[in-house]
Amino acid sequence: MFTKDRQAAPIKTPPSNEGYTIKVTSLPERLQWVMDKHNINQVELAQLLGIDKQNVNHLLHGRTKRIKLEYAMNLAPLLNINPYWLANGTEPVYIDKSQRNDKSTVLEDGPPLISLRAVPVVGSVQAGDNGLLQETQYPVGLGEGYLEWPTKDANAYALRVRGDSMEPRVRSGEFVIVEPNLKPDSGDDVVAIFKDGRRMLKRLLVKKDGEFMLASINETHNTITVFEEELEALHLVGGYCPSGRFVKTKVVI
């Protein structure tokens, strides 16, 4: 995670959560506290969370209002940070490893787990310049298999990505999980479906006065502004799935 010439400060697990009540309320304050407490910079925080530096910058400046729990959970085994505190401000701050087997320790119930769904792979797309997705094989709706994925959206679908124009964020052969019934927020990746038939994989920066600012996934292209009337829909990207999770459907002739 860190290069040899710059090591993070040694991480000491506190003996208990007593005395570790942190008087910070907002998400930017919590993230800044983590950086200061563990002597890490924005680049390193992005690596720990599994997101890019630009997204961390939006979080620290309040342009992105929330962080997905799946990203916050990446810190748990590395810094012993309670992901629910980082995402929602729910104390305690630290995960106390020394008391995990202590029967006297009372742990709060976490939110219910999202059950796995069989998300159909409905198309194969070529990743082109500026996030453009072009259909390459079979028409949408004639899937070749499915992925098991935790989602609340009964209409979630997956697209197999071909091409390397969006690496390292999306590699050729991986799948984009799309949740069309869930509303995207600032900082979320989206599939922008245009009325002229184009589809683009972008990051939603902000929506204001009927305009959407969309950023490139691989940061090599400029941010674009799209008017609401140009779009058919914005579908939330729920995540990216490696090719090994694919379950092929048997073809019955």
Side-chain angles (χ1 to χ4, degrees), residues 47-167:
Q47 292 174 336
L48 291 170
L49 290 170
I51 59 180
D52 56 43
K53 181 184 175 182
Q54 183 181 22
N55 225 347
V56 167
N57 188 269
H58 289 322
L59 289 165
L60 288 169
H61 290 85
R63 291 191 289 272
T64 300
K65 303 300 182 184
R66 61 182 176 85
I67 185 171
K68 290 184 178 180
L69 185 59
E70 64 184 274
Y71 297 137
M73 290 182 71
N74 290 334
L75 286 184
L78 301 172
L79 301 184
N80 300 328
I81 297 294
N82 177 5
Y84 297 104
W85 172 79
L86 186 65
N88 307 314
T90 303
E91 294 189 352
V93 176
Y94 283 101
I95 298 172
D96 189 353
K97 291 184 177 180
S98 65
Q99 295 187 8
R100 284 184 177 178
N101 296 322
D102 185 351
K103 294 181 180 179
S104 65
T105 303
V106 178
L107 300 178
E108 295 182 1
D109 291 334
L113 296 176
I114 301 174
S115 58
L116 294 175
R117 290 182 182 273
V119 176
V121 178
V122 300
S124 180
V125 291
Q126 179 76 28
D129 291 340
N130 206 19
L132 185 65
L133 301 177
Q134 296 178 316
E135 189 174 305
T136 60
Q137 292 183 358
Y138 42 82
V140 172
L142 298 179
E144 59 175 11
Y146 65 91
L147 306 165
E148 290 187 342
W149 190 263
T151 178
K152 297 179 181 179
D153 192 342
N155 297 117
Y157 63 91
L159 299 170
R160 185 194 293 268
V161 176
R162 303 294 189 187
D164 58 3
S165 66
M166 286 186 285
E167 290 189 357

Side-chain angles (χ1 to χ4, degrees), residues 101-240:
N101 296 322
D102 185 351
K103 294 181 180 179
S104 65
T105 303
V106 178
L107 300 178
E108 295 182 1
D109 291 334
L113 296 176
I114 301 174
S115 58
L116 294 175
R117 290 182 182 273
V119 176
V121 178
V122 300
S124 180
V125 291
Q126 179 76 28
D129 291 340
N130 206 19
L132 185 65
L133 301 177
Q134 296 178 316
E135 189 174 305
T136 60
Q137 292 183 358
Y138 42 82
V140 172
L142 298 179
E144 59 175 11
Y146 65 91
L147 306 165
E148 290 187 342
W149 190 263
T151 178
K152 297 179 181 179
D153 192 342
N155 297 117
Y157 63 91
L159 299 170
R160 185 194 293 268
V161 176
R162 303 294 189 187
D164 58 3
S165 66
M166 286 186 285
E167 290 189 357
R169 188 64 175 273
V170 190
R171 293 179 172 84
S172 183
E174 292 183 337
F175 298 90
V176 179
I177 309 293
V178 187
E179 299 172 313
N181 293 331
L182 302 184
K183 183 180 179 181
D185 199 358
S186 298
D188 288 334
D189 289 352
V190 296
V191 174
I193 303 174
F194 290 79
K195 290 183 178 179
D196 62 8
R198 290 177 297 156
R199 284 184 292 172
M200 289 185 176
L201 184 59
K202 292 287 186 180
R203 182 183 302 110
L204 175 61
L205 296 182
V206 66
K207 175 187 177 183
K208 184 177 180 181
D209 299 329
E211 296 183 4
F212 295 90
M213 290 185 64
L214 303 175
S216 175
I217 294 295
N218 62 5
E219 301 181 1
T220 59
H221 297 275
N222 294 328
T223 298
I224 64 172
T225 300
V226 178
F227 293 102
E228 189 169 11
E229 54 266 26
E230 297 179 69
L231 292 174
E232 185 72 32
L234 275 183
H235 288 177
L236 174 68
V237 171
Y240 302 97

